Amino acid sequence: MKIYVVKARASIKEALKIIDANNEGLVCILDDLDKVAGLATDGDIRRELLKGASLDEPIEICSNKDFIYANDSDDRESLLKLLDSNIKAFPIIDNDGHFIDLISKKNLPLSKDKKNFARSKAPVRISFGGGGSDLTHFFSKSKGAVINATISIYSHAILRQREDNLISIKSWDLDEEIVESNLERALSKKSKLGLIQSIIKLINPSYGFDLEIYSDFPSHSGLGGSSAISAAVLGCFNEFRDDPWDTYELSELAFQAERLNLDIAGGWQDQYACTFGGFNFIEFTKETNIIHPLRIPRKTKLELEENLILCNTGISHDSGNIHDDQKKSMKNKNIENLVRENVEHVYTIKNQLLKNKLNDFGDSLDKSWISKRQFSEKISSPLIDRIYNGAKENGAIGGKLLGAGGGGFFLFYVSPFNRNSLVKYLKSIELEVFRFNFDDSGLQSWKTREETL
């Protein structure tokens, strides 16, 4: 800064020394309040000397008070345009008139790093078949397979790094918040945010942060919502990693946090679905899990979006308890054989979707549900049976409860000409109907500059 400015009462000789040092051909002249009062170029000084001024006279006699300058809030584009207008150099001045820097073609600094925050969103999934075969205790002995698709209902997360060690975690879904002075205290605090604490414990961030989570769906929906929440949180932290996790690693971390660290019983498909996105046919064996993305024709997707009806039963359920009960019932050979039959049935569903045989697909949903409800006595109930039977009487070709069962969301397939009659029936028994589009992107995360908001 000192090589670009001079006090108004300094001598012309001193000003010339500064101009010689900065090699920009000018100097900024400051008044008694250290505000920029004018500029003096070597040409301005030369003209005054030719008029008879001496080198000992104050530089202010050479000052050009009608000078071009930029404000410290001006963007880089504005500075470039001034330089491109044959203006060789100009000062940047703050709102109080104080000198900040001198800009020229030789001195145009890069913008300083701005503070960023991370955002992410992860979709929930609807499953079409194979549920129960994605449980480790099943596919360790016999191959499992499921087919699912992600939809435009999301869990969202926002993460901002802090300059101190404070940890702030807020779930708008659960109306629960943790604010602690450090990570250890935040992770040890008893709260309803056990899943999020489990994920953060795996990540073990070395910085303080503010984290917020909110979702488009209610708790215990059967849509794989906990996995979507896990993926969204992981996606935000992944934005700040030098070596980002890939999609498989994100899925495995989400599985570890929920299934192993929290010991919540359940399968593998949800974590893969919400991170990979799209229509997926997933095979499970003791050795490896393989995700096969399905190239469903566009017109098939559009028809499915119109003919699939998603509705909330409003019945709360505990998927972990249902999976535990299912694990016990799987010791019964008849139940184990039903799950194997459902796995074979998944291959049929895959072909029906790829070949646009959608009425057959609806029939397959019906067969899958009839089979699935036998896995555990907790999967269905007299109320759930009444809803399902009423839906079929009002035009549904087939359908199923999503997730483990016991409550949450129903998915029905209906022909185009019976759609409105089915929706009318569902609303008449006070079930909330959701429209959706398919999501092909899976987990998405990105960074945003705070000052752009």
Side-chain angles (χ1 to χ4, degrees), residues 43 76 209 329 379 415:
R76 190 175 184 84
F209 59 84
S329 67
I379 287 177
S415 70

Side-chain angles (χ1 to χ4, degrees), residues 167-267:
I167 306 294
S168 172
I169 308 169
K170 171 70 175 179
S171 168
W172 291 96
D173 304 327
L174 301 176
D175 193 25
E176 182 88 350
E177 186 172 15
I178 295 173
V179 180
E180 292 292 345
S181 58
N182 58 58
L183 185 64
E184 183 180 358
R185 290 176 62 89
L187 296 181
S188 62
K189 185 169 184 177
K190 297 292 184 183
S191 77
K192 294 185 286 185
L193 304 182
L195 175 60
I196 298 166
Q197 289 170 294
S198 177
I199 296 163
I200 294 169
K201 185 176 182 180
L202 277 180
I203 299 168
N204 193 29
S206 58
Y207 47 83
F209 59 84
D210 300 314
L211 173 67
E212 293 189 19
I213 306 103
Y214 59 97
S215 304
D216 304 334
F217 51 86
S219 299
H220 307 297
S221 62
L223 297 170
S226 60
S227 296
I229 290 169
S230 300
V233 172
L234 285 163
C236 275
F237 280 99
N238 207 25
E239 285 296 310
F240 290 107
R241 282 179 57 85
D242 294 329
D243 177 26
W245 297 301
D246 64 27
T247 314
Y248 271 99
E249 290 171 321
L250 288 164
S251 303
E252 290 159 3
L253 285 168
F255 181 90
Q256 181 181 349
E258 187 173 1
R259 303 289 184 238
L260 302 184
N261 293 6
L262 283 185
D263 202 25
I264 298 174

Side-chain angles (χ1 to χ4, degrees), residues 13 72 84 140 170 180 264 267 422:
K13 185 177 182 179
D72 61 347
D84 198 40
S140 291
K170 171 70 175 179
E180 292 292 345
I264 298 174
L422 176 57

Side-chain angles (χ1 to χ4, degrees), residues 251-411:
S251 303
E252 290 159 3
L253 285 168
F255 181 90
Q256 181 181 349
E258 187 173 1
R259 303 289 184 238
L260 302 184
N261 293 6
L262 283 185
D263 202 25
I264 298 174
W268 287 74
Q269 68 166 307
D270 296 352
Q271 290 82 7
Y272 288 124
C274 64
T275 52
F276 280 83
F279 282 75
N280 287 298
F281 174 68
I282 310 175
E283 294 180 296
F284 302 94
T285 67
K286 185 177 181 180
E287 292 76 24
T288 187
N289 302 333
I290 303 176
I291 293 87
H292 305 278
L294 297 181
R295 296 180 63 180
I296 305 297
R298 178 175 177 272
K299 68 176 183 179
T300 303
K301 286 185 182 180
L302 292 172
E303 193 65 16
L304 283 169
E305 288 173 350
E306 293 298 322
N307 296 350
L308 285 171
I309 306 296
L310 185 67
C311 69
N312 187 4
T313 66
I315 304 169
S316 183
H317 72 296
D318 187 325
S319 61
N321 284 340
I322 295 171
H323 281 300
D324 281 333
D325 188 67
Q326 186 177 326
K327 184 176 181 179
K328 293 174 186 175
S329 67
M330 204 77 76
K331 295 176 182 177
N332 182 320
K333 284 294 181 184
N334 291 332
I335 302 300
E336 190 174 344
N337 288 334
L338 280 173
V339 178
R340 285 198 182 95
E341 288 176 15
N342 259 7
V343 170
E344 295 304 317
H345 202 51
V346 166
Y347 289 83
T348 301
I349 293 174
K350 179 188 71 170
N351 292 336
Q352 289 165 345
L353 289 173
L354 290 172
K355 295 180 178 180
N356 198 34
K357 296 182 177 181
L358 297 187
N359 281 347
D360 292 342
F361 164 75
D363 286 330
S364 292
L365 288 182
D366 183 53
K367 291 174 184 174
S368 291
W369 172 242
I370 291 170
S371 178
K372 178 179 176 176
R373 63 193 302 279
Q374 300 177 60
F375 293 175
S376 165
E377 61 182 18
K378 294 184 177 183
I379 287 177
S380 191
S381 69
L383 175 55
I384 289 171
D385 289 342
R386 284 198 298 275
I387 293 170
Y388 189 78
N389 293 333
K392 290 197 70 176
E393 289 167 6
N394 285 272
I397 296 174
K400 65 190 291 287
L401 267 182
L402 297 172
F409 279 64
F410 251 123
L411 181 72

